[in-house]
Amino acid sequence: MERFVINGGIPLKGTVSISGAKNAAVALIAATILCDEPCILENVPQISDITKCMKIMKDMGADIQLKDKNTVYFDTRNINTVAVPYKLAQTMRASSYFLGTLLGRFHEAFVPMPGGCDLGDRPIDQHIKAFRALGAEWDIVNGSNHLKADSLVGNQIYFDFVTVGATMNAIFAAVKAKGMTVIENAAKEPHIVDVANFLNSMGADIRGAGTDVIKIRGVEYLKGTTYATIPDQIEAGTYMVAAAATKGDVVISNVIPKHLESITAKLRKCGVNVKENDDSVHVWVDAPIQKTTIKTMVHPGFPTDMQPQFTTLLTVAEGTSIVTEDIFSNRFRYVTELRKMGADISVDGNGKVAVVQGIKSLKGAAVSAPDLRAGAALVIAGLAAEGTTVVDHIYYIERGYENIDLKLRELGADIHRVNIPEPELEGVQLSV
Ligand code: EPU
């Protein structure tokens, strides 16, 4: 199994360029199914979730060609099935987007229950509510979701709570429906706006993306387009926190600073310097990190996908910090791993609130990534810690971070990917 071996304690220094956003790109790729002509996506990150999305679509008959490392040509006119292959789809949450895009184009879809990181229960009831509002019938057949509609007709959709995935799917199903759809209590994340912009560049009529009411007037035809994915807000935030945790001095480039505001504000609260430029942020530390409180919220609140990384920073802050996870029911599984590194964290019985008592320094240990963002958090812990940290299950991290080890090495980190068979790990010197 591949692992990262990190010799910590080196302040990160230099410039890191941020890749295209995973959670935008997975939706943009699925959205190409709605396009009646070929289209091109730029700034597509090379990460495993993207590879899986493209493999699923190739298996369904789409013509997909890599023009260069991050530019991809899609011609989905030859898709010859409405059934998404089971094996790959059940490993990722974004496979749920094929429900909306196949329904929107073919009026029928067979999609396995989506998988993805284990962050607690992740139902799709709001997605189904949206599809039904537009006239589709839903059933479970052999463990897969089956959607079918004679025709899709615009309607009002009111979500019981804010959900990114269901908002995306409602847009996908409505974009070619007859008449007007109004989505209320919509998610406002930057990737929702990105998907609306992509579809509008094909000729769709979507207004209000980025607010909590999105209005979609259905169109019959979507023309080809060339479109660039937005930079990854969470990847950027991860490097900002890594810079802070290692007491470094890093320019994070190719970002939209507005998308990072909640992260920037919290870092400043902790005494970290953040300077916003047009398309970069400069992060540096010249004083001890201070405690703070965090509560994860929907955009523009503090993102749940930054919670593990930020909690890791707070393990070495002065004072006691409180972190409340309000989006997912099981997002503190990494705490057990951080404790192996000396962190002083307790989580309440409901798994919602963590109390983090800052310590002077983390110590290297062998730890295991329980999911994507928690894996990134453990890498940050390893970079900040005294001694050597070995992080395993790094395939989780590779779902969402393009070349993370290479990018960190360019910032001066001592991080290497190794393939250590299980027994040999016992001989690795893990602490100073
Ligand atoms: N929820 C329901 N029913 C639904 C839909 C959602 O109960 O029909 C619940 C979920 O269980 C969760 C909450 O509502 O507790 C929010 O879920 P949401 O639909 O917003 O999240 P998602 O679409 O499943 C996306 C990202 C996640 C990110 C969340 C929140 C993708 C592919 N995934 O998930 O990204 O954490 O939004 O911002 O876009 C990650 O990148 O590491 C990641 C987990």
Side-chain angles (χ1 to χ4, degrees):
M1 186 194 285
E2 278 199 312
R3 299 173 162 94
F4 286 141
V5 175
I6 306 166
N7 292 307
I10 303 170
L12 298 182
K13 286 202 161 64
T15 299
V16 60
S17 178
I18 296 307
S19 303
K22 168 182 91 84
N23 289 344
V26 287
L28 297 175
I29 289 172
T32 64
I33 290 179
L34 291 160
C35 193
D36 295 290
E37 297 174 8
C39 55
I40 291 177
L41 280 175
E42 298 171 344
N43 204 28
V44 178
Q46 268 199 1
I47 50 176
S48 62
D49 268 17
I50 296 294
T51 316
K52 279 187 209 165
C53 271
M54 299 202 290
K55 171 90 174 73
I56 286 171
M57 286 175 42
K58 272 189 168 180
D59 286 355
M60 295 170 71
D63 177 13
I64 300 178
Q65 294 168 30
L66 222 57
K67 291 289 168 200
D68 64 40
K69 196 167 82 63
N70 301 107
T71 306
V72 190
Y73 166 93
F74 293 86
D75 183 351
T76 60
R77 290 174 296 185
N78 288 335
I79 285 187
N80 50 35
T81 173
V82 293
V84 167
Y86 190 83
K87 216 170 158 194
L88 281 176
Q90 59 159 2
T91 65
M92 56 189 301
R93 182 70 178 175
S95 61
S96 65
Y97 293 154
F98 295 118
L99 283 167
T101 53
L102 290 170
L103 182 70
R105 172 157 159 204
F106 298 107
H107 293 181
E108 186 167 13
F110 267 107
V111 182
M113 271 300 172
C117 286
D118 178 7
L119 312 173
D121 193 22
R122 299 179 77 179
I124 57 165
D125 55 304
Q126 298 299 304
H127 302 234
I128 292 158
K129 178 179 176 173
F131 299 139
R132 282 181 162 152
L134 299 177
E137 286 183 13
W138 168 82
D139 199 1
I140 285 279
V141 179
N142 295 330
S144 282
N145 295 280
H146 180 217
L147 290 170
K148 194 162 172 45
D150 292 334
S151 66
L152 292 167
V153 182
N155 200 348
Q156 188 171 28
I157 299 167
Y158 187 91
F159 287 125
D160 298 344
F161 45 85
V162 177
T163 136
V164 172
T167 303
M168 291 283 195
N169 259 334
I171 295 173
F172 294 146
V175 81
K176 286 180 156 180
K178 288 193 194 101
M180 175 78 101
T181 297
V182 179
I183 305 171
E184 296 200 62
N185 205 18
K188 296 183 280 212
E189 268 63 8
H191 30 295
I192 300 279
V193 180
D194 208 34
V195 164
N197 287 342
F198 178 48
L199 290 167
N200 283 344
S201 76
M202 296 178 193
D205 183 355
I206 306 170
R207 293 165 200 209
T211 74
D212 45 23
V213 181
I214 301 178
K215 293 185 179 165
I216 304 160
R217 193 179 294 282
V219 296
E220 278 182 12
Y221 190 86
L222 292 175
K223 63 181 167 44
T225 185
T226 296
Y227 188 84
T229 318
I230 50 165
D232 197 309
Q233 159 206 24
I234 303 300
E235 188 198 14
T238 301
Y239 284 100
M240 290 168 81
V241 171
T246 60
K247 301 187 173 57
D249 185 335
V250 176
V251 173
I252 293 109
S253 68
N254 183 32
V255 298
I256 300 173
K258 175 111 190 98
H259 294 172
L260 302 172
E261 274 173 352
S262 60
I263 302 162
T264 298
K266 277 296 165 198
L267 282 172
R268 285 182 176 149
K269 198 93 200 234
C270 295
V272 177
N273 302 297
V274 184
K275 183 170 180 291
E276 295 176 355
N277 303 312
D278 286 347
D279 63 357
S280 67
V281 287
H282 179 190
V283 179
W284 75 102
V285 173
D286 52 20
I289 306 292
Q290 298 302 314
K291 66 175 181 180
T292 191
T293 54
I294 289 179
K295 192 172 194 291
T296 62
M297 295 171 85
V298 295
H299 189 79
F302 190 87
T304 175
D305 291 345
M306 280 303 299
Q307 182 263 98
Q309 303 89 312
F310 218 99
T311 304
T312 300
L313 173 67
L314 296 177
T315 63
V316 290
E318 285 190 347
T320 307
S321 302
I322 310 285
V323 179
T324 307
E325 172 57 53
D326 242 6
I327 306 290
F328 290 108
S329 57
N330 191 16
R331 204 159 201 179
F332 283 117
R333 291 190 305 148
Y334 64 92
V335 163
T336 319
E337 303 304 300
L338 281 182
R339 283 200 197 112
K340 293 178 189 164
M341 302 180 72
D344 183 350
I345 311 180
S346 54
V347 181
D348 76 331
N350 296 326
K352 267 197 92 154
V353 181
V355 178
V356 188
Q357 179 66 56
I359 57 169
K360 209 171 144 283
S361 176
L362 293 167
K363 293 197 176 93
V367 290
S368 183
D371 61 64
L372 163 59
R373 307 302 172 187
L378 293 172
V379 168
I380 292 173
L383 294 169
E386 294 169 7
T388 305
T389 296
V390 179
V391 183
D392 72 14
H393 291 136
I394 64 171
Y395 53 83
Y396 282 121
I397 304 171
E398 289 169 340
R399 294 183 59 173
Y401 291 89
E402 188 174 49
N403 297 328
I404 188 170
D405 46 339
L406 185 68
K407 287 187 183 186
L408 285 169
R409 274 200 298 281
E410 282 172 2
L411 294 174
D414 183 349
I415 174 169
H416 293 279
R417 179 188 300 262
V418 291
N419 203 336
I420 315 177
E422 227 42 72
E424 284 179 33
L425 189 61
E426 286 163 20
V428 174
Q429 184 63 42
L430 291 179
S431 57
V432 284

